[in-house]
């Protein structure tokens, strides 16, 4: 039997445990306070099926754990009122960088904390630490910010109000509101891409967009879904990372790892029984990195009243590694069509923007 305050979580993850007590201090976080615990931690040992052939844990595996922690704490918070019961659905994941690799046999410690609430959304910040249980060495591998909205269990198309949190400092609420407005604007800006479709091309040339583009078709089953029949956001992100990894591997034909994920936007819910198509295509290459756009389309085959729709979209960045784990040069992408050239320039702009941000300089223009 698990000790007090410790429960085992999620079918299919027998080595996962959830700590229910507040962990803001242990995780190095300082967020608002509320009557319900404002932070949790999930722990799991990494197994061979979590990693690639080189022993590095898939980025999608880490993203799935991040979302699981966020879903637990946000759903618990949204049900802390004695009102209509709800489940928190993932709406957006802000850009997250993979700061250092995690390997088979290490333990992942995923700490999640609620840092802001608006009337209809919850911001959750997550830190991921990897622990070498032989030496006790720990290192930070990921930081992520996720946004959830509470959906009524009686009517999943109804968004409920979020219980407010109490901030220890007024500045926390003001900073949170700025982040909320920024992500809201960014979500609106992505909607124009929703009609874009990845089309197959016969006999493509190496290093072109068509040569490495890939698609995965998946039938959504019960194991992919919440108890309420909708796909876990973490399941979708893991599939997106798998497709992006295939695109990157096809392009450079080496060991590849996820370096970062730009904001992931979830445009609509995916129901059990849908057939989803996850498509990936390369949009930009620098000397040592590759940007891959991933689109998720859902086809409700058992519901003739609804047409195929865009469910999620994101940009993934990968790097190529040698057998010794050193960064390798990336073959340069050859855009052919006007659309491909346009996406290349847009990707170059995102790359220069993030490069300038890391260097603490004003944003560069391509």
């Amino acid at each position: 039997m698990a000790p007090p305050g410790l429960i085992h979580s999620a079918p299919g993850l027998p080595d996962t445990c959830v700590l229910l007590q507040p962990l803001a201090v242990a995780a190095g976080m300082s967020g608002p306070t509320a009557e319900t615990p404002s932070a949790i931690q999930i722990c799991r040992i990494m197994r061979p099926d979590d990693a690639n052939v080189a022993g590095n844990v898939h980025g999608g595996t880490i993203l799935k754990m991040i979302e699981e922690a966020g879903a637990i704490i946000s759903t618990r918070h949204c049900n802390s009122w004695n009102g209509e019961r709800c489940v928190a659905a993932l709406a957006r994941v802000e850009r997250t960088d993979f700061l250092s690799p995690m390997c088979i046999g290490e333990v992942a410690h995923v700490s999640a904390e609620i840092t802001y609430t608006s009337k209809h959304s919850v911001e959750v910040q997550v830190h991921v630490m990897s622990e070498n249980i032989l030496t006790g060495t720990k290192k930070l591998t990921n930081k992520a910010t996720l946004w959830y909205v509470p959906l009524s269990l009686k009517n999943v198309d109804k968004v409920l109000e979020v219980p407010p949190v109490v901030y220890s400092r007024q500045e926390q609420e003001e900073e949170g509101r700025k982040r909320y407005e920024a992500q809201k604007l960014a979500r609106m800006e992505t909607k124009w891409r929703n009609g874009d479709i990845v089309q197959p091309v016969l006999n493509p040339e190496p290093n072109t967009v068509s040569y490495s583009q890939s698609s995965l078709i998946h039938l959504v089953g019960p194991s992919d879904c919440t108890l309420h029949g909708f796909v876990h956001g973490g399941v979708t992100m893991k599939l997106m990372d798998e497709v992006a990894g295939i695109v990157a591997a096809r392009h450079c034909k080496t060991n590849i790892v996820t370096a970062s994920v730009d904001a992931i936007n979830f445009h609509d819910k995916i129901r059990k029984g849908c057939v989803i198509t996850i498509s990936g295509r390369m949009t930009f290459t620098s000397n040592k990195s590759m940007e891959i756009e991933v689109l998720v389309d859902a086809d409700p085959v058992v519901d003739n009243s609804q047409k195929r729709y865009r469910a999620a979209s994101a940009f993934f960045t990968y790097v190529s590694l040698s057998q010794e784990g050193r960064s390798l040069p990336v073959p340069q992408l050859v855009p052919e069509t006007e659309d491909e050239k346009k996406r290349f320039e847009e990707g170059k702009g995102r790359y220069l923007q993030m490069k300038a941000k890391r260097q603490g300089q004003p944003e560069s223009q391509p």
Side-chain angles (χ1 to χ4, degrees):
M1 180 179 294
L6 183 64
I7 62 172
H8 288 283
S9 166
L13 297 179
D15 298 315
T16 302
C17 62
V18 182
L19 299 177
L20 300 180
Q21 65 268 28
L23 293 169
V25 176
M29 303 177 180
S30 57
T33 59
E35 292 183 0
T36 55
S38 63
I40 64 168
Q41 187 179 83
I42 290 178
C43 306
R44 184 159 80 84
I45 193 166
M46 297 293 98
R47 295 186 168 191
D49 57 351
D50 295 317
N52 61 20
V53 293
N56 302 123
V57 174
H58 290 295
T61 299
I62 298 172
L63 289 171
K64 189 176 180 181
M65 290 189 293
I66 286 173
E67 197 278 330
E68 184 182 31
I72 291 171
I73 193 169
S74 55
T75 297
R76 181 189 294 130
H77 176 78
C78 292
N79 285 282
S80 59
W81 276 355
N82 293 323
E84 192 172 345
R85 294 305 176 192
C86 62
V87 60
L90 183 62
R92 178 179 167 88
V93 181
E94 302 290 0
R95 179 185 173 88
T96 176
D97 293 296
F98 291 76
L99 305 175
S100 60
M102 191 181 299
C103 302
I104 296 171
E106 293 185 328
V107 173
H109 299 269
V110 186
S111 303
E113 180 189 23
I114 294 174
T115 48
Y116 178 75
T117 59
S118 69
K119 184 177 181 180
H120 295 294
S121 64
V122 181
E123 181 192 53
V124 179
Q125 293 191 10
V126 181
H127 290 177
V128 183
M129 303 287 294
S130 65
E131 177 192 5
N132 184 321
I133 55 178
L134 301 180
T135 64
T137 304
K138 291 185 178 181
K139 57 185 178 182
L140 180 66
T141 62
N142 292 80
K143 293 190 291 184
T145 300
L146 302 87
W147 292 90
Y148 288 84
V149 293
L151 305 180
S152 168
L153 295 183
K154 296 179 181 179
N155 177 9
V156 292
D157 293 321
K158 179 183 178 182
V159 178
L160 302 181
E161 290 191 19
V162 175
V165 292
V166 179
Y167 300 91
S168 57
R169 294 182 293 107
Q170 184 178 357
E171 292 82 359
Q172 288 179 331
E173 184 174 10
E174 294 172 353
E175 292 166 359
R177 186 179 297 110
K178 291 179 181 178
R179 294 192 299 269
Y180 168 75
E181 294 296 338
Q183 66 86 27
K184 187 176 179 180
L185 178 62
R187 279 180 58 80
M188 294 297 295
E189 291 175 348
T190 63
K191 289 189 175 182
W192 68 271
R193 304 185 70 96
N194 281 2
D196 213 357
I197 300 174
V198 178
Q199 298 285 1
V201 176
L202 294 176
N203 303 318
E205 293 293 325
N207 299 335
T208 62
V209 175
S210 301
Y211 184 81
S212 59
Q213 70 181 28
S214 304
S215 295
L216 183 154
I217 299 175
H218 179 75
L219 175 63
V220 176
S223 62
D224 300 318
C225 298
T226 67
L227 296 175
H228 315 292
F230 294 95
V231 176
H232 287 287
V235 170
T236 305
M237 291 193 291
K238 190 173 188 297
L239 292 170
M240 294 172 78
D241 180 70
E242 288 179 9
V243 170
I246 293 170
V247 173
R250 280 181 167 174
H251 180 76
C252 61
K253 296 180 173 60
T254 61
N255 178 37
I256 46 86
V257 294
T258 314
S260 66
V261 183
D262 208 351
I264 303 177
N265 289 290
F266 293 83
H267 308 295
D268 208 340
K269 301 180 292 296
I270 304 174
R271 295 178 183 272
K272 181 172 61 179
C274 283
V275 172
I276 55 175
T277 302
I278 305 97
S279 304
R281 62 185 171 199
M282 195 159 295
T283 50
F284 171 75
T285 55
S286 67
N287 290 333
K288 292 189 177 181
S289 68
M290 301 163 276
E291 182 191 71
I292 297 145
E293 183 181 30
V294 181
L295 307 172
V296 181
D297 295 314
D299 187 1
V301 291
V302 296
D303 182 3
N304 295 327
S305 65
Q306 190 174 10
K307 296 181 180 180
R308 182 185 175 107
Y309 60 92
R310 178 62 43 80
S313 59
F315 290 98
F316 287 71
T317 299
Y318 275 75
V319 293
S320 174
L321 298 179
S322 67
Q323 293 182 350
E324 295 76 28
R326 289 193 289 269
S327 179
L328 293 174
V330 170
Q332 292 305 289
L333 182 66
V334 181
E336 297 176 300
T337 68
E338 290 302 315
D339 284 343
E340 290 172 359
K341 292 175 182 177
K342 180 181 178 181
R343 287 193 291 268
F344 187 92
E345 291 302 316
E346 291 171 350
K348 183 178 179 181
R350 287 186 290 270
Y351 168 77
L352 293 176
Q353 185 180 47
M354 290 309 303
K355 185 176 180 180
K357 188 175 181 179
R358 287 194 298 267
Q359 295 174 345
Q361 299 174 350
E363 295 178 1
S364 303
Q365 297 296 323

